[in-house]
Amino acid sequence: MLGQRMNQQTRALSSLVKEMWDKLKLIYESRLEVKETKANILVHEYDMFKMSPVETISDMFTRLSKITNGLKALGKNYIDIEIVLKVLRSLPPA
């Protein structure tokens, strides 16, 4: 009798642990997808980056810094020379 009750409790606990594991896995996978989506959006913003005609250089650099900092937080780093070249290519024609 006692052994049977312990078996039932073990099965119930195993089922609960499996359910919790499945939920954690789903949450992790969802977060990974969100992270990848955010990175893709920021890479696109970086690739398409141009200075707006009504924007100051300071504002433009702040906007670019937000993009590159967001990418850095997601594991995508650009070296300084890449960012400098991006700024120079983003300036309007003289």
Side-chain angles (χ1 to χ4, degrees), residues 17 21 34 41 70 88:
V17 168
W21 175 256
V34 168
I41 290 169
L88 292 175

Side-chain angles (χ1 to χ4, degrees), residues 39-90:
N40 287 337
I41 290 169
L42 288 171
V43 166
H44 178 73
E45 286 180 18
Y46 180 86
D47 290 342
M48 303 305 292
F49 188 84
K50 291 286 181 202
M51 182 176 180
S52 166
V54 295
E55 189 172 45
T56 66
I57 290 183
S58 177
D59 291 340
M60 177 198 69
F61 189 74
T62 299
R63 191 165 53 91
L64 182 60
S65 293
K66 287 180 183 178
I67 294 169
T68 56
N69 288 339
L71 286 165
K72 187 181 291 185
L74 295 169
K76 173 76 171 137
N77 294 309
Y78 290 95
I79 58 174
D80 290 342
I81 190 67
E82 290 175 305
I83 296 170
V84 169
L85 291 173
K86 176 55 95 173
V87 168
L88 292 175
R89 285 191 303 267
S90 300

Side-chain angles (χ1 to χ4, degrees), residues 27-43:
I27 289 168
Y28 174 78
E29 288 172 351
S30 296
R31 286 187 180 166
L32 185 60
E33 288 174 10
V34 168
K35 182 179 175 181
E36 289 173 3
T37 301
K38 285 180 181 179
N40 287 337
I41 290 169
L42 288 171
V43 166

Side-chain angles (χ1 to χ4, degrees), residues 6-20:
M6 287 180 65
N7 252 354
Q8 289 173 340
Q9 288 175 340
T10 302
R11 277 185 290 211
L13 183 58
S14 293
S15 178
L16 180 62
V17 168
K18 169 85 168 91
E19 183 181 333
M20 290 171 61

